[in-house]
């Protein structure tokens, strides 16, 4: 009787192990089959209303942006680039402010630009942070404002010198500003078009592209997400204004010293106020790193 009971126990255990093996094989087979037969997720094509040829015109249209970015005689190149970048910073900030109420954590849970590229913020410890779009742009504007207010990067007093890292710092600022432009085109162009502000975005973008190409401030790969828009606008093919002949003593300074651009004999550059209905006015004069008369963005 005892031996019979032992036989049944051993047989039951053996059957249980066999059933367990069969079950594992069946589960593995089912999972493998699902993976093999799994259909790839359909690629959702990004809507690109900004590539409509009828919506690529700048506002206003009667400004030669090549003349805006061209280096004038007797002006130090770094001083010129610094002023142009500050102007771009304020104009991008103003443009974003017009539609910031539509850019929320709910509508833009990630900082996504054209081409469905997602941008991550790198904190002071080198850690990548996945941010909502408004949070990322807040970081960008705060960073740019600190740079603009930094006398070492943007000196404002006569005979102050620009730092050796000037062009590297400027490129970083421009890279961040491009991310903001890319997001506005990708996520908010419809709202800007609704309020007839898309032309202002276009002229800011054209100014941005011409500046970085004129002085080689960014690699072409940085502009890749909006390359179709650049081609459609034919920015690089726009008519360039020929510089007047310079005398031997009118070559631009390369000493790195900040010179007063509004001193007698030095004409300020042709520039623009995005939200002014009047003719463009000069914003070349800088005070405490700020473009005179421009609003600034200070993150709370």
């Amino acid at each position: 009787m005892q031996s019979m009971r032992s036989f049944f126990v051993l047989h039951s255990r053996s059957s249980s192990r066999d059933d367990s093996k069969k079950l594992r094989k069946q589960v593995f087979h089912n999972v493998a089959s699902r993976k093999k037969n799994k259909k790839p997720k359909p690629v959702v094509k990004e809507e690109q209303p900004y590539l409509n040829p009828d919506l690529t015109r700048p506002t206003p249209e009667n400004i030669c942006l090549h003349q805006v970015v061209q280096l004038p005689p007797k002006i130090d190149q770094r001083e010129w680039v610094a002023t142009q970048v500050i102007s771009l910073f304020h104009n991008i900030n103003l443009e974003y402010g017009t539609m910031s109420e539509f850019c929320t954590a709910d509508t833009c849970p990630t900082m996504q630009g054209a081409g469905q590229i997602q941008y991550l913020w790198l904190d002071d410890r080198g850690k990548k942070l996945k941010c909502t779009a408004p949070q990322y742009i807040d970081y960008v504007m705060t960073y740019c404002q600190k740079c603009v207010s930094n006398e070492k990067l943007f000196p404002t007093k006569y005979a102050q010198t620009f730092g050796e890292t000037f062009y590297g710092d400027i490129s970083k600022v421009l890279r961040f500003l491009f991310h903001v432009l890319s997001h506005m085109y990708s996520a908010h162009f419809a709202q800007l078009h609704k309020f007839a502000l898309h032309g202002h975005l276009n002229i800011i973008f054209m100014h941005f592209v011409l500046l970085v190409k004129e002085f080689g401030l960014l690699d072409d790969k940085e502009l890749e997400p909006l390359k179709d828009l650049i081609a459609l606008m034919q920015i690089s093919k726009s008519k360039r204004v020929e510089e007047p002949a310079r005398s031997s003593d009118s070559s631009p300074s390369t000493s790195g010293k900040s010179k007063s651009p509004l001193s007698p004999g030095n004409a300020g550059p042709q520039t623009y106020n995005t939200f002014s209905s009047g003719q463009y006015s000069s914003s070349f004069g800088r005070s405490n790193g700020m473009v005179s008369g421009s609003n600034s963005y200070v993150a709370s």
Side-chain angles (χ1 to χ4, degrees), residues 3-4 39 42 51 53 59 68 75 90 133 191-192 197 199 240 245 250 252 277:
S3 61
M4 184 67 70
K39 296 181 179 179
L51 292 181
T59 302
V68 171
I75 298 296
H90 287 301
Q191 284 101 351
L192 291 170
L197 292 172
R240 181 183 176 88
S250 61
S277 59

Side-chain angles (χ1 to χ4, degrees), residues 27-75:
V27 170
F28 177 79
H29 175 74
N30 291 340
V31 172
S33 297
R34 282 200 300 270
K35 287 184 177 180
K36 184 177 180 179
N37 299 325
K38 188 176 180 181
K39 296 181 179 179
K41 292 182 179 180
V43 178
V44 180
K45 190 175 181 180
E46 177 190 10
E47 293 186 7
Q48 298 174 317
Y50 56 88
L51 292 181
N52 183 339
D54 295 332
L55 303 180
T56 58
R57 296 176 181 175
T59 302
E61 297 185 52
N62 60 339
I63 295 300
C64 178
L65 288 172
H66 275 293
Q67 188 176 357
V68 171
V69 301
Q70 262 186 287
L71 180 67
K74 297 184 179 180
I75 298 296

Side-chain angles (χ1 to χ4, degrees), residues 142-161:
T142 302
Y143 174 82
C144 291
Q145 182 61 63
K146 288 181 179 179
C147 289
V148 165
S149 303
N150 185 353
E151 285 285 336
K152 293 182 179 179
L153 180 56
F154 291 96
T156 58
K157 297 179 181 179
Y158 182 79
Q160 279 186 315
T161 58

Side-chain angles (χ1 to χ4, degrees), residues 58-240:
T59 302
E61 297 185 52
N62 60 339
I63 295 300
C64 178
L65 288 172
H66 275 293
Q67 188 176 357
V68 171
V69 301
Q70 262 186 287
L71 180 67
K74 297 184 179 180
I75 298 296
D76 176 68
Q77 181 172 300
R78 278 164 285 194
E79 176 70 27
W80 180 256
V81 169
T83 302
Q84 296 278 335
V85 171
I86 292 174
S87 178
L88 277 169
F89 161 53
H90 287 301
N91 281 319
I92 291 172
N93 177 41
L94 284 170
E95 182 79 3
Y96 176 75
T98 63
M99 39 66 58
S100 58
E101 62 181 293
F102 301 104
C103 186
T104 66
D106 294 328
T107 60
C108 304
T110 61
M111 179 59 184
Q112 184 169 299
Q116 299 183 335
I117 294 179
Q118 184 175 331
Y119 299 111
L120 303 177
W121 185 259
L122 198 65
D123 65 10
D124 296 335
R125 295 172 294 180
K127 183 179 179 181
K128 293 181 179 179
L129 303 178
K130 186 177 181 180
C131 310
T132 64
Q135 185 180 16
Y136 185 97
I137 294 174
D138 183 60
Y139 288 154
V140 168
M141 296 304 178
T142 302
Y143 174 82
C144 291
Q145 182 61 63
K146 288 181 179 179
C147 289
V148 165
S149 303
N150 185 353
E151 285 285 336
K152 293 182 179 179
L153 180 56
F154 291 96
T156 58
K157 297 179 181 179
Y158 182 79
Q160 279 186 315
T161 58
F162 287 87
E164 295 181 358
T165 61
F166 172 76
Y167 283 108
D169 295 333
I170 284 292
S171 295
K172 187 174 181 180
V173 169
L174 289 170
R175 189 163 60 251
F176 287 151
L177 291 177
F178 177 80
H179 296 171
V180 179
L181 288 170
S182 182
H183 177 72
M184 284 197 286
Y185 272 113
S186 174
H188 302 292
F189 190 81
Q191 284 101 351
L192 291 170
H193 177 229
K194 181 179 180 180
F195 295 113
L197 292 172
H198 60 288
H200 300 97
L201 179 62
N202 289 338
I203 198 169
I204 293 171
F205 180 67
M206 292 173 74
H207 179 196
F208 182 96
V209 174
L210 285 172
L211 179 68
V212 300
K213 287 183 176 293
E214 179 80 7
F215 299 101
L217 301 174
L218 287 178
D219 293 334
D220 288 340
K221 66 179 181 180
E222 299 288 351
L223 306 177
E224 189 78 11
L226 289 173
K227 65 177 182 179
D228 292 338
L229 180 61
I230 294 173
L232 189 61
M233 287 181 169
Q234 297 183 329
I235 298 176
S236 59
K237 296 180 181 179
S238 300
K239 185 178 179 181
R240 181 183 176 88

